[in-house]
Amino acid sequence: MKFPFLIAIAALCLSSGSLRAQAPAYLGFDRNTYPGDANLKALRQTFSYTSYWLNNPPAERTNTWAGHRAAVESDGFGFLVLFNGRVFAELKSVANAKKVGASDAQAAAAAARREGFPAKTIIFLDQEQGGRMLPVQKAYIYAWVDAITAAGFRAGIYCSGVAAKDDGNIVTAEDIRQSAAGRHIVYWAINDACPPAPGCTFPVNPAHPPSPAQSGVRFAEVWQFAQSPQRKDVAGRCSNYSRDGDCYPPGISAAQQLHVDLDTATSPDPSHGRSR
């Protein structure tokens, strides 16, 4: 008499596991420079959310996103809120790294408030350098996380999800998480290698892109699966980028050369940054 009960329980477990596996994912884009108010409606036809920088993006002298939050939200986008972090050479020592991390977090929180992002918005620290994080890098990251949390926001990190072949195959996201000492951090993993990445592709149904867990970082809530320009050393096997190596979204004139990076997330508003 117990067997039908056990079979029913097993079926329920398989069903719930299948439901988890089929949980919806949402397509978004990120780029260092603001795409312009005039392009938002066309981009919204494909994407659920966009990045939004709080300070100057890497290699940029200005932040062209500043002041455009209301326009982005009014066109229906969710957000990936970003703050450009420090590279190793800027940190000097563990003590200095902690001070700089806390100071940068205060600057990020102030910018988020100034732009109108609500409390508890997830702010992603942009960690451009991959491989195993050195003690000064971890001191900076965790000081930033602690100070962002204390300021009333939530902490995320944008970091590599690719195994570093020259560094014992360490995955940066795994390395940061293992040393986080119970800190709650939301992970935005980068893995543009094909496979698992699909390359510069736009699903027929934008509500069902690949799951972030398919990035190889099982706990990632966001996955950047294509970059512009195509990284030949990582994404060299991807064959669907444009001839110039960039990834261009549909619905935008080719003359604009408005290239994007592509992301998939577990939410249409990964930073939970909408005010309504």
Side-chain angles (χ1 to χ4, degrees):
M1 294 296 292
K2 293 180 180 178
F3 292 116
F5 175 76
L6 293 175
I7 290 170
I9 292 296
L12 180 60
C13 290
L14 287 171
S15 175
S16 61
S18 176
L19 287 173
R20 283 194 297 270
Q22 296 174 15
Y26 301 87
L27 186 67
F29 76 93
D30 68 273
R31 54 183 279 117
N32 284 359
T33 55
Y34 184 62
D37 292 351
N39 288 319
L40 293 179
K41 283 183 171 56
L43 289 166
R44 184 66 184 88
Q45 298 303 306
T46 302
F47 302 108
S48 296
Y49 53 88
T50 174
S51 61
Y52 196 98
W53 287 92
L54 295 176
N55 63 342
N56 295 353
E60 301 291 339
R61 294 184 178 181
T62 59
N63 177 16
T64 56
W65 290 87
H68 292 285
R69 183 189 175 283
V72 173
E73 182 168 344
S74 68
D75 274 311
F77 285 95
F79 293 95
L80 281 169
V81 183
L82 272 163
F83 185 86
N84 186 17
R86 307 288 180 139
V87 297
F88 167 73
E90 297 177 89
L91 300 176
K92 310 300 182 185
S93 68
V94 167
N96 184 64
K98 289 179 179 179
K99 291 179 182 178
V100 174
S103 176
D104 280 359
Q106 291 169 5
R113 294 189 191 101
R114 188 165 57 247
E115 290 294 319
F117 286 104
K120 304 300 182 182
T121 294
I122 298 168
I123 303 174
F124 290 90
L125 178 66
D126 181 61
Q127 174 58 52
E128 291 285 324
Q129 294 173 311
R132 191 184 308 275
M133 295 288 97
L134 298 172
V136 290
Q137 292 173 300
K138 288 183 177 179
Y140 172 77
I141 291 167
Y142 300 136
W144 190 91
V145 167
D146 291 344
I148 278 291
T149 303
F153 293 93
R154 288 181 287 170
I157 189 160
Y158 165 93
C159 61
S160 177
V162 178
K165 295 179 180 179
D166 59 350
D167 197 5
N169 285 324
I170 191 74
V171 175
T172 306
E174 296 273 4
D175 184 43
I176 293 171
R177 189 171 187 252
Q178 288 171 3
S179 303
R183 294 175 175 89
H184 182 72
I185 303 172
V186 178
Y187 290 83
W188 175 0
I190 312 154
N191 188 351
D192 50 338
C194 298
C200 176
T201 58
F202 304 89
V204 174
N205 183 348
H208 295 286
S211 164
Q214 293 176 244
S215 66
V217 178
R218 69 192 185 284
F219 49 84
E221 295 187 31
V222 188
W223 172 22
Q224 185 188 76
F225 61 83
Q227 288 192 357
S228 292
Q230 178 183 14
R231 298 195 297 171
K232 296 295 186 181
D233 58 329
V234 177
R237 295 177 62 184
C238 304
S239 58
N240 43 4
Y241 285 79
S242 65
R243 285 187 178 183
D244 65 6
D246 284 327
C247 182
Y248 295 106
I252 301 293
S253 168
Q256 292 195 54
Q257 295 188 311
L258 196 154
H259 55 75
V260 295
D261 300 338
L262 299 181
D263 305 280
T264 180
T266 58
S267 168
D269 183 20
S271 277
H272 302 281
R274 292 182 59 85
S275 58
R276 58 183 186 276

